[in-house]
Amino acid sequence: MTSRRIVSNEKNLLERDDSNDRTPSASEKSNITPAVPGAVILKLLGFTAAMFGGPIGVYFLTVNTVFRGNSTWAGATAAITANLVLIAYVVVAMKEDQSDKIAAEESAKKKR
């Protein structure tokens, strides 16, 4: 069986030149604001450092000082520390989400 080739005058996605559609004019300023606020990035970096350094630090601090060489208990303590950091991150994210919602409601009330 033969297949029929569809001939079209329309350009496909790779052949289109859409640079004219997206370039701002000389009088317009381009928007260079970040999509995520800086405070959110700093919180994420802080919790990333805590998730990396917290459990490892707790393990090495407790393996010889608190648990006298018992690595099982030190590992369990490190796992608990990782879970505490994770729970703290979720709580902070939920509070931040609620504060954004409250701020949006207040601005809506002011516009009325």
Side-chain angles (χ1 to χ4, degrees), residues 31-43:
N31 186 4
I32 58 169
T33 58
V36 179
V40 174
I41 298 294
L42 287 176
K43 285 179 193 174

Side-chain angles (χ1 to χ4, degrees), residues 45-61 78 81-82 85:
L45 288 175
F47 278 104
T48 301
M51 187 59 113
F52 178 74
I56 293 173
V58 166
Y59 174 80
F60 285 111
L61 285 174
T81 304
V85 171

Side-chain angles (χ1 to χ4, degrees), residues 1 4 13 32 39 43 48-49 54 62-63 65 70-71 75 80-81 94:
M1 249 201 184
R4 188 172 204 196
L13 184 63
I32 58 169
K43 285 179 193 174
T48 301
T62 60
V63 73
T65 58
N70 189 347
S71 62
I80 291 169
T81 304
M94 288 177 67

Side-chain angles (χ1 to χ4, degrees), residues 3 5 18 35 44 49 53-54 75-76 84-85 90 97 105 110:
S3 61
R5 185 173 185 188
D18 57 352
L44 182 62
L84 290 175
V85 171
V90 170
D97 189 36
E105 288 175 357
K110 287 181 182 179

Side-chain angles (χ1 to χ4, degrees), residues 47-109:
F47 278 104
T48 301
M51 187 59 113
F52 178 74
I56 293 173
V58 166
Y59 174 80
F60 285 111
L61 285 174
T62 60
V63 73
N64 289 323
T65 58
V66 177
F67 299 117
R68 296 186 182 104
N70 189 347
S71 62
T72 303
W73 287 104
T77 307
I80 291 169
T81 304
N83 285 315
L84 290 175
V85 171
L86 183 63
I87 290 168
Y89 178 73
V90 170
V91 168
V92 168
M94 288 177 67
K95 283 187 178 182
E96 182 179 314
D97 189 36
Q98 290 174 355
S99 66
D100 291 343
K101 190 176 183 180
I102 292 170
E105 288 175 357
E106 287 178 2
S107 66
K109 287 180 183 178

